[in-house]
Amino acid sequence: MKKLIGILLALALAVVAWWFSGPYLAVHGLSKAIEQRDTAKLERYVDFPRVRSSLRAQLNDYLVRQAGPDVAASPFGALLYGLGDQLGGAAVDTMVTPTGIGAMLQGHVLWKRGRNELQGGDAFGATEPARPLKNAEHHFEALDRFVVDVQRGPGEPPMRVVLEPQGLRWKVVDLQLGMSGSP
């Protein structure tokens, strides 16, 4: 009987350890995928349809807040808002894909090369890898919600990367950009 209780206790501890280490392992894998510019690996850690949906909603909210109530109430404003929604949504749909992220990471390489941020100072060497999650702070908001706060710059609100479990993996399901709505 003691052996069965010991096995059940060990199993329960293993499940708890797996659950609470999952988001940390996902953040580590996500960081490595970004550093290595591996879009296939990145796809394992990001739920792209949910992230696109969230970013579209944030962009639409930002545009409405920036336009103000007077523009949104006018017929011409509604037309402009609809056009902005279509263009912004198309941009989000194009960029928030594994291919779009890969293009942004390649742009990052060109930017680093142009700024002479090279490993070892060698003009033909590799550039310093992107490490956006290097100094990020992370914590559980709930048992099924893990948040990574990425500082963007002084005086700017952090970007929040939200992970939730999907099956046996934790995935990024939301990017909260913290766009200010005040004009």
Side-chain angles (χ1 to χ4, degrees):
M1 186 68 172
K2 284 185 177 184
K3 193 174 190 180
L4 179 63
I5 290 174
I7 291 172
L8 290 176
L9 185 60
L11 183 62
L13 285 174
V15 168
V16 168
W18 168 78
W19 182 263
F20 286 104
S21 67
Y24 293 99
L25 293 173
V27 168
H28 178 73
L30 182 64
S31 182
K32 288 294 180 192
I34 291 170
E35 284 179 32
Q36 297 168 355
R37 298 176 199 86
D38 187 349
T39 56
K41 193 185 236 184
L42 188 66
E43 199 165 8
R44 291 178 32 193
Y45 298 106
V46 180
D47 184 350
F48 283 104
R50 285 185 65 186
V51 171
R52 276 193 297 272
S53 174
S54 169
L55 289 177
R56 282 187 84 154
Q58 289 178 60
L59 182 62
N60 289 341
D61 182 58
Y62 179 76
L63 290 174
V64 168
R65 289 179 186 271
Q66 288 296 321
D70 297 336
V71 174
S74 72
F76 184 67
L79 178 68
L80 286 177
Y81 172 70
L83 182 61
D85 176 41
Q86 291 297 318
L87 291 175
V92 167
D93 288 347
T94 301
M95 294 307 294
V96 184
T97 62
T99 305
I101 299 295
M104 284 191 280
L105 290 172
Q106 284 305 106
H108 178 265
V109 169
L110 293 175
W111 176 258
K112 290 278 190 179
R113 191 166 295 287
R115 293 184 61 193
N116 202 26
E117 294 178 16
L118 306 168
Q119 291 180 352
D122 181 13
F124 298 104
T127 60
E128 292 292 331
R131 292 189 175 106
L133 304 176
K134 183 178 180 181
N135 296 321
E137 298 176 9
H138 26 74
H139 61 278
F140 279 92
E141 276 190 349
L143 284 176
D144 62 346
R145 186 174 172 92
F146 189 79
V147 176
V148 180
D149 292 323
V150 180
Q151 292 298 328
R152 293 187 288 188
E156 290 185 50
M159 178 179 72
R160 301 188 87 197
V161 180
V162 179
L163 289 90
E164 291 180 357
Q166 291 186 349
L168 298 176
R169 292 184 184 269
W170 286 76
K171 284 189 166 191
V172 174
V173 296
D174 191 9
L175 294 177
Q176 299 170 358
L177 301 179
M179 294 187 287
S180 173
S182 56

